């Protein structure tokens, strides 16, 4: 369930205006895999650094799902009303995902590295299942929404991001993933590769170098 449901093809197979949304899902899968890989290697001494990375990821997930529920789904239902029932299911999925993230946060704060594995595995399972179901529901519908309508909704979503998300989003989206055409404007991509890159890379140490 790790691949985008778009004919078995990559992000560039999507219409240009949908590639940012797709890239967000790829980045979420990437970081969930990183957390799963790090969990058995973490010691109690390494939990605070891992927790700092996790706070960053959780802020991104919280923003992504809150703005889906409050901005994206309501805006899209006006153009593709048949996704209304499915979007309600996605909102319920977000509740389950929030619960799984709560338990990861609690485990990271608990100071006992041996207890992190269970919550991490649950989060990974819930996240991957949710992304799979969401893509199965939404990408065919999204393709029928006029590009300018989707782009306007996406601008509202980005404007609603808290500062801590905005400062990490460009390098986070570009980290080790395909770089689809139309993902972000050139100046934003440049900032993500330069001014914002250093702080972002430092934040990864707690999960890429578990101890």
């Amino acid at each position: 369930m790790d691949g985008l449901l778009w004919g078995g093809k990559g992000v560039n197979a999507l219409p240009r205006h949908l590639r940012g949304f797709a890239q967000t899902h790829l980045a979420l899968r990437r970081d969930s895999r990183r957390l799963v890989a790090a969990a058995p290697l973490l010691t109690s001494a390494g939990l605070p650094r891992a927790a700092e990375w996790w706070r960053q990821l959780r802020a991104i997930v919280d923003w992504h799902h809150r703005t889906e529920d409050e901005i994206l789904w309501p805006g899209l239902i006006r153009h593709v009303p048949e996704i209304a029932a499915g979007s309600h299911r996605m909102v319920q999925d977000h509740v389950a995902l929030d619960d799984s993230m709560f338990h990861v946060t609690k485990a990271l704060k608990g100071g006992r590295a041996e207890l992190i594995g269970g919550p991490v595995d649950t989060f990974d399972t819930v996240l991957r299942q949710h992304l799979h179901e969401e893509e199965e529901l939404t990408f065919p519908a999204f393709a029928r929404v006029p590009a300018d309508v989707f782009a306007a909704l996406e601008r509202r979503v980005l404007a609603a991001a808290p500062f801590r998300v905005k400062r990490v989003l460009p390098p986070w989206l570009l980290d080790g993933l395909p770089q689809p055409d139309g993902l972000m404007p050139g100046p934003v991509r440049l900032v993500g590769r330069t001014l914002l890159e250093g702080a972002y890379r430092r934040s990864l140490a707690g999960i890429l170098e578990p101890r």
Side-chain angles (χ1 to χ4, degrees):
M1 295 183 184
D2 283 340
L4 287 169
L5 290 172
W6 194 260
K9 299 177 183 178
V11 179
N12 276 322
L14 290 163
R16 288 174 65 90
H17 62 287
L18 301 183
R19 293 172 188 172
F21 187 90
Q23 189 83 345
T24 301
H25 279 202
L26 287 178
L28 291 173
R29 286 182 169 94
R30 175 204 62 212
D31 279 3
S32 186
R33 288 194 298 268
R34 284 173 170 172
L35 182 59
V36 169
L41 305 176
L42 283 168
T43 67
S44 295
L47 289 181
R49 291 199 318 159
E52 181 58 33
W53 171 85
W54 170 253
R55 282 191 289 272
Q56 177 176 279
L57 176 62
R58 185 168 182 179
I60 293 171
V61 176
D62 286 342
W63 157 73
H64 179 62
H65 287 159
R66 176 179 57 82
T67 53
E68 280 183 341
D69 296 344
E70 297 176 0
I71 298 172
L72 192 60
W73 303 144
L76 292 175
I77 286 169
R78 297 191 188 100
H79 295 271
V80 193
E82 59 267 32
I83 72 168
S87 69
H88 178 72
R89 188 170 73 250
M90 295 304 100
V91 172
Q92 298 307 307
D93 277 4
H94 293 169
V95 174
L97 187 57
D98 285 344
D99 183 67
S100 73
M101 291 193 297
F102 168 80
H103 288 290
V104 173
T105 300
K106 183 177 179 181
L108 286 168
K109 289 182 177 178
R112 296 178 61 187
E114 69 272 16
L115 300 181
I116 189 68
V120 164
D121 287 343
T122 298
F123 165 73
D124 179 61
T125 298
V126 171
L127 176 69
R128 287 188 294 109
Q129 179 68 28
H130 167 65
L131 295 178
H132 177 88
E133 292 177 354
E134 187 169 88
E135 289 158 7
E136 189 173 44
L137 168 72
T138 59
F139 278 113
F142 284 179
R144 305 205 311 273
V145 176
D148 60 331
V149 170
F150 194 93
L153 289 169
E154 192 169 58
R155 286 193 295 271
R156 289 178 57 198
V157 165
L158 291 171
F163 175 71
R164 71 171 300 177
V165 170
K166 287 179 179 176
R167 72 181 180 184
V168 77
L169 200 58
W172 182 79
L173 285 171
L174 295 170
D175 180 10
L177 296 174
Q179 296 179 30
D181 294 337
L183 174 63
M184 63 183 70
V188 177
R189 189 166 58 249
L190 178 61
V191 168
R193 290 294 190 199
T194 54
L195 296 178
L196 302 178
E197 178 78 5
Y200 172 71
R201 286 293 162 190
R202 288 191 294 274
S203 75
L204 291 177
I207 205 70
L208 295 185
E209 302 171 13
R211 64 185 188 190

